[in-house]
């Protein structure tokens, strides 16, 4: 198979540089302020959308720009803002994977439309939002325990239930919701629906006050007798679980790049500080203890980047290895990230612990990457079991 | 409105160092950027186009590597870019440059239609002469407005808000005309993903002396009366003190107190 995507092209470099500059000039100077407020920086978000960075992987035939090479660079600017952008991608992914043409065109139209004041709840909102609604209070990693129900009634389904920790829920125009058509069927009863967020019976829970990625909004979604036309079912009944897994699998490849972005931001601050800060007559990087930390940070960044690119290339090539390596990439990247941000804070010492410097925020932002998109413990279950499957002895 | 923006590729002066022995700029390894004042001119042009329609063409004179900067202009939304380049143009001072560019404007008008508006940055941050824009206007016999911060398009005219010594002036000027831009309240917009990808593929045609047929005694070093006698680094001015108290009177008192403490008065 031809993995041309592994070594990035001149065009991709160009785009990476463009997004880096945008992150440096537009997102980063404002990131601390919006982190404290726990609000989305709408100005930067809208500018990013204008640049075409919202769901760039929507195929060109639906009006998108048909590519994705900038996750890391956006996240470097601010993880919360970056995840708000990519949360939309996650929200529409099941439709792009398994929806019909009408559904694909509909979500592309909603996401890419640019109408100021289009949503009375959010005057600053100009572009569409989508949210992927899988997790429930009692069904996180164990998606089979899903309690949200979809009851068939004529040419409609009636949805009831509660989803929690849903990224972009307060802003969303559409949700992709997993619900069960029959709880006794377990995984096999799970079905995916495209739900209009403005429909009657849909309400949004309180804004979750998070430790990090505070520009990203997270809330519950409450569904009370929500009528969903049968035409909004994505794929067939009972196909929801594999669809959700496929969605997460593709998302996992991007987590590597995302972690890389936070690491880069931490490393850039630390390596600059290590040269500016002098103690005992010399810049602190001249002490081996600091220099080695910087080296280890760089090793973590490069290995994460290479691994992430490789898995992304596998996904692009539709190679089944992607589902085996994806969990490894996600786990490795997010574990490496914790070390990098912790060491960045350590290099900055007391200043690193203060809000006046950017690294304490990066340390708070970093933690979520070990938790969401399947905790690293779940990833290790998958990785371990894949290993057993591949090496099973006969007895 | 058919708009031409003249743009120059300049070394990024935030990165520039001065050779301590020769007192010249060390240009090696210094990245090249679009002259910031030209970027403001471009943004003004794009804003006019966005509000009243039309086209934005960018023209630069320089070596082939200036194409990178022109691609940047295309990626933010300029419709077309031209590079005026020829060995016989090399070493031109402001007089020769403005002569070549004004001839290029006429040659471009045959291909792109008559320009209603020519926009330049007020000066380039490498030479800092602020002469090329006004000189192009003179060569073309066009009215000119310098140090613009805002341009509003009208019918057969534009209204320009310009920075003056004591505030702003508002000037109504007939088109075609030439306007030079200073730092406005905004920056050049960010490129779009699609713009970036299209700019990579865009063809940037050259204008050489084969097209312009200029008298070579008026171009390049031969056509440049300016001779550089020497370049030097001016001594660094020491930072001053700004006194701003609640009232003018308090400020004056504080100034007098400081001056007398320093035994100046």
């Amino acid at each position: 198979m031809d993995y041309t995507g592994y070594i990035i092209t001149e065009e991709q470099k160009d785009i990476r540089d463009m997004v880096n500059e945008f992150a440096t000039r537009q997102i980063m100077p404002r990131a601390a302020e919006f982190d404290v407020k726990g609000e989305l920086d709408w100005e930067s978000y809208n500018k990013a959308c204008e640049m075409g960075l919202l769901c760039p992987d929507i195929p060109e035939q639906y009006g998108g720009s048909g590519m994705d090479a900038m996750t890391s660079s956006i996240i470097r600017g601010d993880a919360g803002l970056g995840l708000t952008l990519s949360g939309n991608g996650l929200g529409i992914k099941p439709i792009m994977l398994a929806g019909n043409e009408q559904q694909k065109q509909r979500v592309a139209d909603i996401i890419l439309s640019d109408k100021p004041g289009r949503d009375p709840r959010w005057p600053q909102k100009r572009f569409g939002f989508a949210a992927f609604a899988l997790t429930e209070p009692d069904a996180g990693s164990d998606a089979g325990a899903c309690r949200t129900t979809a009851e068939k009634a004529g040419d409609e389904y009636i949805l009831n239930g509660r989803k929690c920790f849903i990224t972009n829920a307060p802003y969303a125009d559409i949700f992709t919701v997993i619900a069960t058509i029959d709880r006794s069927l377990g995984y096999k009863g799970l079905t995916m629906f495209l739900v209009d967020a403005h429909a009657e019976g849909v309400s949004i829970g309180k804004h979750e006050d998070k430790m990090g990625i505070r520009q990203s909004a997270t809330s519950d979604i409450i569904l009370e007798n929500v009528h969903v036309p049968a035409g909004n079912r994505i794929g067939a009944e009972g196909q929801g679980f594999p669809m959700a897994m496929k969605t997460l699998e593709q998302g996992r490849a991007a987590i590597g790049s995302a972690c890389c972005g936070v690491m880069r931001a931490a490393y850039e601050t630390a390596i600059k500080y290590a040269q500016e800060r002098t103690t005992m007559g010399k810049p602190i990087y001249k002490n081996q203890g600091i220099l080695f930390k910087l080296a280890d940070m760089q090793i973590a960044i490069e290995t994460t980047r290479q691994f992430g690119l490789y898995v992304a290339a596998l996904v692009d090539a539709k190679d089944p290895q992607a589902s085996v390596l994806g969990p490894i990439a996600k786990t490795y990247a997010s574990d490496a990230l914790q070390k990098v941000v912790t060491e960045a804070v350590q290099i900055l010492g007391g200043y690193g612990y203060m809000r006046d410097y950017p690294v304490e925020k990066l340390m708070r932002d970093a933690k979520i990457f070990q938790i969401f998109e399947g905790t690293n413990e779940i990833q290790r279950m998958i990785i371990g079991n894949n290993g057993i499957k591949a090496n099973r002895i006969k007895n | 409105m058919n708009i031409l923006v003249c743009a120059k590729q300049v070394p990024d002066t935030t990165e520039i160092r001065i050779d301590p022995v020769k007192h010249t700029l060390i240009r090696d390894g210094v990245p090249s950027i679009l002259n910031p004042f030209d970027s403001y001119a471009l943004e003004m042009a794009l804003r006019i186009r966005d509000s009243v329609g039309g086209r934005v063409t960018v023209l630069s004179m320089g070596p082939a590597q200036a194409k990178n900067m022109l691609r940047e202009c295309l990626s933010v939304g300029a419709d077309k870019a031209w590079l005026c380049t020829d060995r016989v143009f090399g070493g031109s001072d402001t007089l020769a440059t403005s002569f070549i560019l004004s001839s290029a404007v006429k040659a471009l008008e045959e291909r792109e239609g008559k320009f209603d508006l020519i926009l330049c940055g007020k000066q380039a941050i490498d030479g800092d002469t602020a002469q090329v824009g006004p000189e192009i206007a003179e060569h073309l016999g066009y009215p000119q407005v310098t140090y613009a911060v805002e341009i509003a398009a009208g019918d057969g005219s534009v209204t320009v808000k310009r920075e003056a010594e004591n505030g702003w002036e508002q000037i109504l000027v007939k088109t075609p005309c030439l306007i030079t831009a200073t730092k406005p309240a905004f920056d050049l917009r960010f490129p779009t993903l699609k713009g970036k990808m299209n700019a990579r593929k865009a063809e940037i045609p050259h204008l050489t002396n084969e097209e312009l047929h200029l008298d070579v005694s008026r171009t390049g070093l031969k056509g440049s009366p300016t001779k550089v006698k020497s370049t030097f680094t001016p001594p660094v001015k020491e930072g001053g003190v700004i006194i701003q108290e609640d009232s003018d009177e308090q400020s004056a008192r504080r100034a007098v107190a400081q001056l007398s403490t320093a035994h100046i008065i």
Side-chain angles (χ1 to χ4, degrees):
Chain A
M1 226 170 274
D2 185 16
Y3 298 149
T4 47
Y6 186 40
I7 294 172
I8 70 169
T9 62
E10 285 302 313
E11 183 178 63
Q12 287 168 323
K13 278 184 199 161
D14 223 23
I15 288 163
R16 178 198 60 195
D17 293 347
M18 168 182 102
V19 181
N20 269 332
E21 198 188 328
F22 173 68
T24 307
R25 276 175 45 206
Q26 174 71 39
I27 304 176
M28 283 172 147
R30 304 155 58 92
E33 176 194 342
F34 286 91
D35 168 64
V36 172
K37 285 193 203 160
E39 283 171 18
L40 178 63
D41 171 6
W42 284 99
E43 183 190 306
S44 299
Y45 182 84
N46 285 337
K47 275 191 182 172
C49 295
E50 276 167 26
M51 288 173 73
L53 307 182
L54 171 62
C55 298
D57 48 354
I58 292 180
E60 218 146 353
Q61 68 198 97
Y62 304 111
S65 36
M67 67 160 311
D68 182 5
M70 71 289 293
T71 310
S72 159
S73 297
I74 279 272
I75 299 266
R76 172 180 156 266
D78 183 88
L81 189 140
L83 291 167
T84 305
L85 273 173
S86 57
N88 295 304
L90 193 65
I92 64 168
K93 183 75 83 188
I95 296 149
M96 290 300 158
L97 284 172
N100 58 36
E101 285 305 303
Q102 268 171 315
Q103 291 168 342
K104 286 181 188 175
Q105 191 62 58
R106 185 175 157 206
V107 297
D109 289 347
I110 291 172
I111 292 289
L112 299 174
S113 76
D114 168 12
K115 296 191 198 80
R118 62 205 296 287
D119 190 333
R121 300 170 301 172
W122 305 100
Q124 289 162 292
K125 174 173 152 186
R126 287 181 38 199
F127 293 82
F129 277 82
F132 180 60
L134 170 67
T135 304
E136 296 186 6
D138 296 311
S141 300
D142 179 16
C146 170
R147 286 188 185 175
T148 299
T149 55
E151 207 180 313
K152 184 107 195 228
D155 54 359
E156 284 184 336
Y157 289 87
I158 314 289
L159 267 62
N160 278 290
R162 187 180 192 105
K163 297 287 178 183
C164 75
F165 302 150
I166 306 304
T167 303
N168 284 351
Y171 312 131
D173 299 289
I174 47 167
F175 298 119
T176 41
V177 175
I178 283 257
T180 176
I181 49 162
D182 183 349
R183 284 196 66 190
S184 67
L185 293 175
Y187 289 107
K188 291 185 177 149
L190 297 181
T191 307
M192 188 92 73
F193 296 92
L194 168 55
V195 176
D196 179 355
H198 307 282
E200 213 184 312
V202 178
S203 51
I204 307 299
K206 74 168 176 66
H207 172 85
E208 301 287 358
D209 195 8
K210 298 193 296 296
M211 171 184 183
I213 55 165
R214 291 173 54 81
Q215 281 205 38
S216 159
T218 311
S219 295
D220 283 9
I221 300 169
I222 302 107
L223 304 161
E224 290 167 306
N225 291 321
V226 180
H227 292 244
V228 177
N232 283 10
R233 192 188 66 223
I234 307 163
E237 284 188 356
Q239 287 298 305
F241 185 71
M243 224 180 277
M245 291 305 109
K246 196 90 198 149
T247 299
L248 291 176
E249 189 183 301
Q250 296 209 356
R252 251 167 234 152
I255 297 291
S257 322
C259 291
C260 199
V262 183
M263 285 191 235
R264 283 164 57 201
Y267 177 70
E268 283 166 19
T269 308
I271 200 157
K272 192 163 162 268
Y273 184 84
Q275 295 169 77
E276 287 167 354
R277 170 75 174 173
T278 54
T279 55
M280 291 165 270
K282 60 183 178 185
I284 58 169
Y285 80 90
K286 296 211 167 161
N287 301 305
Q288 211 174 51
I290 300 293
L291 196 65
F292 281 13
K293 282 189 203 301
L294 289 167
D296 286 339
M297 289 165 96
Q298 207 182 342
I299 291 168
I301 294 169
E302 282 307 327
T303 47
T304 303
R305 175 183 284 147
Q306 301 312 321
F307 200 178
L309 278 171
Y310 182 57
V311 176
L314 290 173
V315 170
D316 282 349
K318 298 193 167 52
D319 187 313
Q321 268 297 97
S323 60
V324 177
L325 293 185
I328 302 180
K330 191 263 176 187
T331 310
Y332 177 78
S334 51
D335 286 353
L337 170 60
Q338 310 309 313
K339 281 191 207 142
V340 169
V341 291
T342 308
E343 293 293 40
V345 171
Q346 192 67 24
I347 289 172
L348 268 76
Y351 292 113
Y353 202 66
M354 301 298 151
R355 285 214 164 164
D356 298 334
Y357 285 77
V359 285
E360 67 82 27
K361 166 184 177 287
L362 297 176
M363 191 165 169
R364 286 185 285 108
D365 285 347
K367 185 60 196 171
I368 190 63
F369 291 91
Q370 287 183 314
I371 299 170
F372 69 4
E373 301 260 330
T375 63
N376 282 12
E377 289 70 30
I378 286 290
Q379 303 301 333
R380 287 189 163 86
M381 300 268 289
I382 298 170
I383 296 163
N385 282 324
N386 280 342
I388 294 289
K389 243 187 268 170
N391 296 283
R392 194 179 293 283
I393 55 164
K394 291 194 178 87
N395 50 10
Chain B
M1 197 163 252
N2 197 8
I3 308 169
L4 179 74
V5 177
C6 297
K8 185 182 183 186
Q9 188 178 42
V10 294
D12 188 346
T13 49
T14 54
E15 304 265 334
I16 220 155
R17 305 276 173 278
I18 297 198
D19 186 320
V21 183
K22 287 187 271 178
H23 300 295
T24 52
L25 303 181
I26 305 172
R27 288 178 189 245
D28 289 348
V30 177
S32 292
I33 55 166
L34 167 63
N35 177 41
F37 291 109
D38 300 347
S39 79
Y40 308 140
L42 177 58
E43 179 61 31
M44 289 179 195
L46 294 170
R47 285 177 182 219
I48 296 171
R49 185 197 63 188
D50 291 348
S51 70
V52 300
R55 258 172 83 77
V56 174
T57 307
V58 184
L59 169 66
S60 184
M61 184 174 111
Q65 55 138 309
K67 278 190 180 176
N68 292 339
M69 173 275 289
L70 287 171
R71 286 195 201 284
E72 229 177 278
C73 298
L74 291 170
S75 70
V76 293
D79 298 285
K80 177 98 189 174
W82 288 82
L83 180 65
C84 186
T85 186
D86 201 304
R87 281 195 165 271
V88 299
F89 299 161
S92 295
D93 69 356
T94 58
L95 183 69
T97 302
S98 60
F99 169 65
I100 298 164
L101 283 174
S102 60
S103 312
V105 169
K106 288 178 206 153
L108 277 190
E109 286 189 331
E110 286 168 24
R111 296 162 172 85
E112 303 279 337
K114 190 117 179 90
F115 297 114
D116 302 299
L117 200 58
I118 300 175
L119 276 166
C120 305
K122 69 161 176 159
Q123 66 196 55
I125 57 165
D126 54 353
D128 279 325
T129 65
Q131 291 168 359
V132 173
E135 285 174 4
I136 295 173
E138 289 305 310
H139 284 297
L140 294 169
Y142 281 5
Q144 56 170 293
V145 182
T146 52
Y147 303 99
V149 288
E150 236 175 76
I151 307 170
D155 191 17
S157 67
V158 288
T159 308
V160 185
K161 184 177 167 187
R162 80 180 286 269
E163 218 170 68
E165 292 276 323
N166 307 314
W168 288 288
E169 292 171 357
Q170 193 122 336
I171 294 175
L172 181 73
V173 57
K174 271 192 186 155
T175 55
C177 62
L178 184 142
I179 296 168
T180 75
T182 185
K183 172 83 184 87
F186 43 77
D187 284 315
L188 178 61
R189 64 194 60 187
F190 288 103
T192 65
L193 202 55
K194 275 185 189 167
K196 198 86 188 169
M197 290 196 279
N198 291 337
R200 282 188 67 84
K201 289 175 233 148
E203 189 211 350
I204 298 177
H206 287 191
L207 274 179
T208 66
N209 206 26
E210 277 180 39
E211 284 87 26
L212 299 184
H213 314 293
L214 301 180
D215 173 1
V216 292
S217 69
R218 293 186 67 185
T219 71
L221 278 173
K222 275 189 221 156
S224 301
T226 313
K227 299 282 175 272
V228 178
K229 203 172 156 202
S230 72
T231 51
F232 62 94
T233 321
V236 180
K237 250 202 221 165
E238 283 187 28
V241 179
I242 293 173
I243 296 171
Q244 191 164 23
E245 300 296 305
D246 292 338
S247 70
D248 291 347
E249 199 189 317
Q250 280 172 303
S251 300
R253 280 183 194 287
R254 178 129 183 248
V256 170
Q258 288 206 354
L259 288 170
S260 62
T261 318
H263 302 295
I264 295 170
I265 52 171

